């Protein structure tokens, strides 16, 4: 009995002292995060027409507070889906801690700028934490939106969960997901009130940059094309859809893809680029796969998951740290340039610093 207790105790202490950790942030500021449920009382949900549209956002921002008790950052609802899909130990993803302190006091960074992020189809706002908290560590306020019914699982603070809409893939379903995403992006961009109390560093309706993964990359392009309200867009490996297939974003737009085009044979990047009157670039990262543009390289490494063929097909053969570094460096360089804080040298074209990133000439 006594021995058993000791063993349990030492186990618990070890787990607390050294939990698996997302890639450390690299900027000068410590970071905080608020996970906020929001309701848009100006529209009904296209998938729950009796209800106003509600969603979750994570807001990452600079803070003076040290994160002395890092906690789990992926909700159990989201974790269990990926654990099943990737054959990971049940509960393992929720053991990973991120860098940002929950509900930390915001630090007033003069001239702080916003980056709004839209996740991929059937994924989650949470799996872009390594990218977005790093931006916050450089003074940005980064806001990751969950798009309920399209996200795999959105868990609200009261414990309720909205799962992905189960209907089969149809053009109509994709168009509705897409329409709702654009309106979610405008809603989050236009937030004042509660939002500016939580993030007083951000003046409401100052310029914002949009970025997204996969279907979210298409959505941010569509939002730029439709609304003209964003100063730049960044698409991680997303085939364009609906108005983004041949619309003009006018403002600068960066596309970053992996070794394999998804879906195979997709030509929407060419049609999109042919329609641009503004600055645009398309860069291909060799050795990276679709989910290499998420937290998963870092998660797999933190958990010591063997790099089986299934895992390599998911994230690519690229070194995990490198995948995270590329996401962070290119988005930050693009944002710094668009907000007048840097020359945008890295997003402009090939650089010896990143030999695995090649630039595709315009079509
Ligand atoms: C979805 O549609 C495809 C193509 O018609 C079909 O093969 C598949 O069985 C359908 N899946 C479900 C869950 O209905
Ligand atoms: C975009 O989706 C809407 C539905 O939200 C649809 O009416 C429209 O035809 C679609 N446009 C294109 C170009 O596919
Ligand atoms: C998980 O296991 C299934 C069944 O063995 C296999 O088909 C799949 O490739 C595995 N996935 C990964 C990511 O290893």
């Amino acid at each position: 009995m006594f021995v058993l207790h000791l063993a349990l105790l030492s186990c618990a202490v070890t787990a607390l002292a050294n939990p698996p950790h997302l890639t450390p942030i690299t900027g000068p500021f410590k970071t905080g995060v608020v996970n906020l449920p929001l309701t848009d009382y100006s529209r009904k949900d296209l998938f729950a027409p009796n209800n106003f549209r509600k969603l979750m956002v994570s807001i990452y921002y600079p803070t003076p507070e040290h994160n002395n008790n890092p906690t789990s950052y992926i909700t159990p609802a989201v974790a269990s889906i990926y654990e099943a899909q990737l054959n990971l130990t049940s509960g393992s993803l929720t053991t990973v801690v991120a860098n940002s302190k929950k509900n930390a006091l915001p630090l007033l960074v003069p001239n702080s700028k916003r980056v709004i992020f839209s996740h991929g189809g059937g994924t989650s706002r949470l799996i872009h934490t390594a990218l977005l908290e790093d931006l916050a560590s450089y003074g940005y306020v980064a806001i990751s939106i969950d798009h309920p019914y399209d996200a795999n699982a959105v868990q609200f603070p009261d414990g309720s969960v909205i799962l992905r809409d189960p209907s089969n893939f149809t053009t109509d379903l994709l168009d509705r997901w897409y329409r709702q995403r654009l309106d979610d992006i405008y809603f989050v961009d236009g937030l004042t009130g509660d939002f500016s109390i939580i993030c007083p560093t951000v003046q409401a309706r100052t310029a914002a940059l949009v970025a997204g993964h996969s279907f979210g990359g298409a959505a941010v392009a569509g939002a730029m094309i439709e609304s003209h309200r964003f100063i730049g867009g960044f698409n991680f490996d997303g085939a364009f859809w609906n108005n983004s297939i041949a619309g003009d974003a006018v403002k600068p737009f960066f596309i970053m893809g992996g070794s394999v085009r998804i879906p195979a044979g997709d030509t929407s990047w060419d049609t999109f680029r042919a329609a641009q009157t503004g600055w645009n670039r398309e860069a291909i990262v060799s050795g990276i796969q679709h989910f290499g543009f998420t937290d998963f390289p870092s998660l797999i490494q933190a958990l010591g998951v063997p790099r089986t063929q299934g895992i390599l097909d998911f994230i690519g053969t690229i070194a995990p740290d490198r995948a995270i570094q590329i996401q962070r460096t290119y988005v930050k360089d693009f944002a710094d340039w668009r907000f007048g804080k840097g020359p945008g040298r890295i997003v402009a074209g090939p650089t010896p610093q990143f030999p695995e990133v090649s630039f595709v000439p315009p079509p």
Side-chain angles (χ1 to χ4, degrees):
M1 221 31 201
F2 182 59
V3 172
L4 180 66
H5 272 135
L6 265 187
L8 284 174
L9 185 67
S10 79
C11 209
V13 168
T14 310
L16 284 176
N18 196 16
H21 205 291
L22 209 60
T23 311
I25 49 178
T26 60
F29 298 110
K30 296 188 272 289
T31 60
V33 62
V34 168
N35 292 302
L36 197 63
L38 296 168
T39 302
D40 181 353
Y41 291 102
S42 75
R43 66 195 158 106
K44 294 290 174 66
D45 196 307
L46 294 181
F47 295 89
N50 295 326
N51 302 335
F52 290 112
R53 174 68 167 165
K54 63 173 185 170
L55 44 83
M56 285 291 297
V57 296
S58 292
I59 308 168
Y60 306 88
Y61 50 90
T63 177
E65 292 188 60
H66 184 65
N67 189 10
N68 44 21
N69 182 25
T71 50
S72 172
Y73 83 99
I74 295 190
T75 58
V78 171
S80 63
I81 289 170
Y82 287 115
E83 285 156 5
Q85 184 185 337
L86 299 174
N87 309 325
L88 305 178
T89 308
S90 175
S92 58
L93 284 174
T94 53
T95 64
V96 181
V97 300
N99 296 280
S100 303
K101 179 172 181 174
K102 281 183 184 148
N103 305 319
L105 284 173
L107 183 73
L108 290 165
V109 177
N111 220 14
S112 188
K113 304 296 186 189
R114 291 175 304 152
V115 176
I116 297 173
F117 196 91
S118 177
H119 63 74
T123 76
S124 167
R125 80 183 194 282
L126 299 169
I127 65 166
H128 299 280
T129 299
L131 167 66
L132 299 176
E133 60 183 6
D134 197 59
L135 280 173
S137 80
Y138 287 95
Y140 287 98
V141 172
I143 309 159
S144 193
I145 309 172
D146 252 339
H147 304 286
Y149 298 99
D150 180 344
N152 52 11
V154 182
Q155 189 160 357
F156 289 86
D158 67 4
S160 64
V161 175
I162 295 179
L163 295 174
R164 187 169 171 78
D165 182 272
S167 32
N168 205 351
F169 282 95
T170 58
T171 300
D172 170 64
L173 179 69
L174 284 158
D175 276 343
R176 277 189 293 148
W177 275 334
Y178 186 83
R179 178 70 258 158
Q180 193 136 275
R181 275 171 181 264
L182 267 55
D183 292 334
D184 291 347
I185 293 168
Y186 302 149
F187 169 63
V188 167
D189 177 52
L191 286 172
T192 55
D194 288 351
F195 178 74
S196 51
I197 291 165
I198 289 162
C199 280
T201 56
V202 175
Q203 281 185 310
R205 297 185 194 280
T206 54
L209 187 121
V210 279
H213 176 234
S214 199
F215 204 39
V220 300
M224 287 179 70
I225 291 160
E226 187 177 73
S227 77
H228 304 293
R229 68 200 280 186
F230 302 106
I231 65 165
F234 198 108
N235 170 9
F236 282 113
D237 213 23
F240 290 109
W241 183 259
N242 195 281
N243 69 331
S244 64
I245 293 172
D248 184 5
V250 181
K251 306 272 175 54
F253 201 91
F254 195 95
I255 304 169
M256 175 168 270
S259 305
V260 177
R261 185 67 66 89
I262 296 180
D266 177 67
T267 56
S268 67
W269 290 357
D270 294 336
T271 53
F272 173 84
R273 293 191 74 199
Q276 299 314 299
T277 55
W279 182 104
N280 65 94
R281 294 288 187 280
E282 175 184 335
I284 299 298
V285 188
S286 75
I288 205 163
Q289 299 274 9
H290 199 54
F291 279 84
F293 297 115
T294 67
D295 287 349
F296 274 97
S298 183
L299 289 168
I300 296 299
Q301 185 178 49
L303 292 170
V305 173
R307 306 181 86 204
T308 58
Q309 193 56 47
I311 294 294
L312 294 180
D313 289 346
F314 194 64
I315 60 174
T317 53
I318 192 168
D321 285 345
R322 190 68 171 170
I324 300 297
Q325 185 190 11
I326 287 173
Q327 294 175 32
R328 289 172 165 184
T329 305
Y330 279 80
V331 174
K332 178 180 178 291
D333 190 67
F334 185 66
D336 285 352
W337 172 51
R338 294 306 298 140
F339 287 119
K341 299 187 202 178
R345 189 181 49 76
I346 292 171
V347 289
T351 163
Q353 216 183 321
F354 293 99
E356 67 272 69
V357 180
S358 56
F359 281 69
V360 181

